[in-house]
Amino acid sequence: MVSRWTRTLIPTLREAPAEAESPSHVLLLRAGYIRKLGAGIYDYLPLGYRVLSKVAQIVRQEMNAAGAAELSLPVLLPIELYSGTRRDADYGDLLFKVTDRKGAVAALGPTHEEPITEALKGCVSSYKQLPLNVYQIQTKFRDEARPRSGLLRGREFLMKDAYSFHTSVDGPGGLSETYDRMYAAYVSVFRRCGLRFTAVEAESGPIGGSASHEFMVDAESGEDTVLKCAASGYAANVEKCEIGARQRGSLGLAAGAQPLAEVHTPAMPGIEAVAAHLKTAPQRMLKTIVFAVLGRAGEPAPAHRWVAATVRGDHEVNEGKVRSLSGYAVALADERAARAAGFAIGYVSPRVVGAVPGTLVLIDEDASADGPWVSGADKADHHVTGFDWRREIGGALDDPGRVRVGDVRNAMAGDPSPRAAGSRLETGRGIEVGHIFKLGTKYSEAMGFRVLDEKQQQRPVIMGCYGIGVSRTMAACVEMSHDAAGIVWPMPLAPYHVLIVPMKAEDPQQAALAQRLSAELASGGVDVLIDDRDERPGVKFKDADLIGVPVRLTLGDKALAAGSVEFKLRTDAGKGELVPIAQAAERTLAAVTAGLGGAPA
RNA sequence: CGGGCUGUAGCGCAGCUUGGUUAGCGCGUUUGACUGGGGGUCAAAAGGUCGGCGGUUCGAAUCCGCCCAGCCCGACCA
């Protein structure tokens, strides 16, 4: 198709609004793709909407190819829908709520597990109707505590969400089969979008195993850390990433043992401050974080009430790993409750294993080396030096009911790979654009969605769910691909493939040529924008770079006199290359086709 | 939700400390002329509830109070 600059709306800005900071936010605003209406709420102007539509179209094609059926669910959801799964409480303030004239409360859908389960519950009752995979591309709402970075974290955003339904996990028609197919479809989607990305293992769903993957666009500005092992291809996010075999310490008495000494460290709960004050390094310190064991209604009271996890000062405790090693559902302890129980929050030491009843201490392998260590002193504003595991804790170390050693910290760059001996983990930053996981029966059980199996037994349906942030993908692409002058779109997502720039818009020869070229390209399936504004060349070139259309054809006097036009890719420097007019369309078509991955446009 | 900060023309900002003509500047916009290969020059013009409400005062963009909106850091993030 062909558009004219003067007949569409592309309000480019020389200066970015002060509130925008991240590259995608600044550039999408400056290049006239989006406008802000409120915090985390944006207009998609014509360029932005074209990109958004292209992402959505690629997603749609791949979902259809993967055997999913498109539908559309309401955004306005009666709050009662959430009562069964308790997600109104889980979501808390994240859920947007509206009240109607009768006082009834509805939520604006943040995701659609409940409504889809409700919908299918009404029309699927036999195993013969399964498996089923349905999806929608729908606006979602989340009342984010802090919307930020433009489209990357909005309060209103476009998302593709798919849900699959099965009677088994394994075998033909099972959840795993669809999960694998969706994984492959996601790889296709992001490849076709022209993105550099990594699929990483994420926190497991209720079924266990590698039941969840996140798709992360590689971008320096990403909020998430991705760990990768080059040798094995293993990749995971920080929450999930395992660490390969490490040297386990002996928890012994240090050879050069020092006496335990208490030092005054006023108002210094932080590792860094204490290390500086005591002229030691965080690697020589122990950090102990207290978690509360969550009792489950209807189950016997757990043997422990608290879990204290000790890691080296330069490491971070990983809550999921604390959960696995302890075997308990835990949450970071409420500060007041923990203080009341006897924990000097901010100054806790592993000695709490004896001092506070019902405490299980988890020691990370790196923290299990011989002392002496610097640790909290279990009283406010004090630390101890010369801490020695064997001497301070003694017998508890040998009682697995009181102390366990294992992996309880976040992986870091340089840690041993869990999949390839001798290989080390590397880190990168990413932006999460897709997430797939095996849900299991959480929603179907909570909402009573059962089908009759071949043995005439009622069985809760097994579910999977699969999300892609469509608007976020658009922004992530800009984060991944831009330069000082503006956006650099990959061909598949570009709002237009080609920008034709007649230097003098009112020159009849140039106008006619622009017309002819664009018609020829359009007939080949190319999207063309003609900059027909009566602007100075500098303005047109600056805007061309800013909006980031991949191919630029410049129509100027000198080149035309020589029977040529200038052909330039956005990624090329300079004015571009002279191409005879007769070959211009063909050359452009080839570039567009190549940029689309060889697929017909 | 904690910490820091900002609201003055479409965008970027000054003015506020020390209250006092008609609230300025740059960019953008409009009109005209000259120009025409990386945001050009000249001339003229349009455009403002100074975030809102209340207070102090003869007088408030400026001082005080409350509220609202927004940004950044952190917490949080299916």
Side-chain angles (χ1 to χ4, degrees):
Chain A
M1 81 159 272
V2 180
S3 300
R4 296 179 172 277
W5 197 300
T6 57
R7 299 291 82 189
T8 182
L9 180 64
I10 309 176
T12 58
L13 262 23
R14 184 179 283 196
E15 288 174 285
E19 65 206 27
E21 289 207 341
S22 65
S24 68
H25 194 191
V26 169
L27 291 173
L28 289 172
L29 240 21
R30 275 195 60 208
Y33 283 75
I34 59 171
R35 272 292 163 96
K36 187 173 86 168
L37 187 61
I41 310 172
Y42 293 85
D43 304 323
Y44 293 96
L45 301 180
L47 287 185
Y49 191 63
R50 288 185 64 85
V51 175
L52 194 68
S53 303
K54 290 198 174 188
V55 177
Q57 193 53 24
I58 289 171
V59 169
R60 181 172 284 123
Q61 288 169 358
E62 293 298 329
M63 285 302 106
N64 292 344
E70 186 169 11
L71 47 64
S72 183
L73 299 165
V75 163
L76 198 58
L77 307 168
I79 198 73
E80 291 74 25
L81 203 51
Y82 287 88
S83 51
T85 55
R86 280 200 43 229
R87 282 229 292 189
D88 53 339
D90 290 354
Y91 263 107
D93 292 336
L94 211 56
L95 206 58
F96 260 112
K97 290 176 188 144
V98 294
T99 306
D100 70 15
R101 63 172 74 202
K102 291 180 288 191
V105 178
L108 299 179
T111 175
H112 280 77
E113 281 83 1
E114 287 86 356
I116 191 62
T117 304
E118 181 70 18
L120 289 230
K121 187 179 153 184
C123 35
V124 171
S125 50
S126 158
Y127 74 98
K128 292 180 183 173
Q129 292 170 278
L130 299 181
L132 207 49
N133 188 2
V134 294
Y135 75 99
Q136 62 172 345
I137 295 174
Q138 180 66 278
T139 301
K140 307 286 189 200
F141 295 85
R142 287 182 200 175
D143 193 0
E144 292 285 350
R146 183 146 96 82
R148 76 189 89 166
S149 305
L151 261 31
L152 284 175
R153 183 175 296 280
R155 296 198 295 170
E156 174 180 328
F157 55 97
L158 192 65
M159 179 172 175
K160 185 284 301 182
D161 48 325
Y163 307 91
S164 71
F165 302 86
H166 316 264
T167 48
S168 66
V169 172
D170 301 312
L175 171 60
S176 293
E177 184 184 79
T178 296
Y179 185 89
D180 293 345
R181 188 177 299 165
M182 291 298 270
Y183 182 102
Y186 272 45
V187 169
S188 298
V189 165
F190 297 121
R191 270 204 191 126
R192 282 187 59 193
C193 286
L195 298 166
R196 291 187 300 276
F197 67 98
T198 309
V200 305
E201 290 184 18
E203 195 58 29
S204 295
I207 293 181
S210 61
S212 176
H213 287 86
E214 289 174 350
F215 291 79
M216 318 283 285
V217 169
D218 301 337
E220 268 315 303
S221 54
E223 288 185 331
D224 300 305
T225 299
V226 173
L227 293 114
K228 302 182 214 186
C229 162
S232 63
Y234 174 81
N237 65 16
V238 172
E239 287 70 41
K240 167 77 180 179
C241 190
E242 303 161 38
I243 301 174
R246 281 184 277 164
Q247 187 76 44
R248 178 173 295 211
S250 62
L251 292 165
L253 209 50
Q258 319 168 352
L260 191 71
E262 207 167 81
V263 288
H264 190 219
T265 50
M268 270 183 240
I271 291 285
E272 292 296 335
V274 176
H277 182 70
L278 297 179
K279 297 187 170 45
T280 184
Q283 291 90 309
R284 299 304 310 151
M285 298 179 59
L286 297 177
K287 175 159 65 182
T288 301
I289 305 293
V290 180
F291 293 85
V293 174
L294 304 175
R296 292 206 181 102
E299 290 181 16
H304 298 92
R305 286 171 51 210
W306 308 96
V307 175
T310 301
V311 297
R312 225 167 63 185
D314 55 326
H315 292 149
E316 294 290 327
V317 173
N318 180 302
E319 193 174 318
K321 293 179 178 180
V322 168
R323 208 169 285 145
S324 312
L325 187 59
S326 67
Y328 294 123
V330 296
L332 198 59
D334 173 73
E335 199 166 320
R336 279 173 56 190
R339 281 189 205 283
F343 294 102
I345 295 298
Y347 304 88
V348 176
S349 96
R351 292 179 298 182
V352 293
V353 70
V356 182
T359 302
L360 172 67
V361 169
L362 305 181
I363 305 171
D364 184 69
E365 285 167 347
D366 288 315
S368 68
D370 294 351
W373 296 93
V374 172
S375 166
D378 295 311
K379 76 184 201 192
D381 296 334
H382 288 79
H383 281 75
V384 293
T385 59
F387 182 96
D388 206 298
W389 285 111
R390 183 61 54 185
R391 190 178 64 206
E392 292 3 304
I393 310 261
L397 291 175
D398 306 312
D399 178 0
R402 299 175 71 192
V403 174
R404 287 174 210 163
V405 179
D407 177 15
V408 290
R409 70 165 171 89
N410 284 345
M412 295 173 35
D415 281 337
S417 164
R419 296 288 183 278
S423 175
R424 308 233 156 236
L425 293 171
E426 294 158 18
T427 55
R429 306 288 287 175
I431 299 165
E432 182 189 349
V433 290
H435 196 167
I436 58 177
F437 51 106
K438 298 182 180 177
L439 268 181
T441 56
K442 176 178 174 182
Y443 294 94
S444 53
E445 273 182 354
M447 299 177 66
F449 178 25
R450 296 164 191 280
V451 294
L452 226 42
D453 67 10
E454 51 271 73
K455 292 176 189 133
Q456 303 192 14
Q457 298 291 311
Q458 291 277 357
R459 304 248 316 254
V461 174
I462 295 165
M463 294 171 58
C465 72
Y466 319 89
I468 290 180
V470 176
S471 46
R472 182 184 274 188
T473 297
M474 167 175 164
C477 182
V478 178
E479 294 285 334
M480 181 197 84
S481 181
H482 65 272
D483 61 19
I487 302 172
V488 183
W489 288 112
M491 194 67 75
L493 297 193
Y496 295 94
H497 302 125
V498 180
L499 175 65
I500 297 181
V501 184
M503 300 301 306
K504 295 178 185 165
E506 69 286 6
D507 178 309
Q509 190 196 355
Q510 292 183 11
L513 181 56
Q515 180 66 41
R516 213 177 75 219
L517 279 174
S518 60
E520 193 173 344
L521 288 168
S523 71
V526 175
D527 294 336
V528 185
L529 176 64
I530 301 174
D531 187 353
D532 58 342
R533 294 176 299 170
D534 180 18
E535 283 289 354
R536 299 183 63 83
V539 174
K540 294 190 171 200
F541 292 145
K542 289 285 186 193
D543 277 346
D545 290 343
L546 185 58
I547 68 173
V549 170
V551 181
R552 191 179 91 194
L553 293 178
T554 309
L555 279 36
D557 286 334
K558 289 177 204 125
L560 289 177
S564 300
V565 301
E566 288 160 32
F567 172 95
K568 177 185 174 298
L569 299 180
R570 175 62 176 82
T571 47
D572 293 339
K575 292 168 67 171
E577 137 194 20
L578 287 179
V579 174
I581 292 172
Q583 294 164 28
E586 189 188 350
R587 175 65 188 277
T588 303
L589 195 54
V592 172
T593 306
L596 290 173

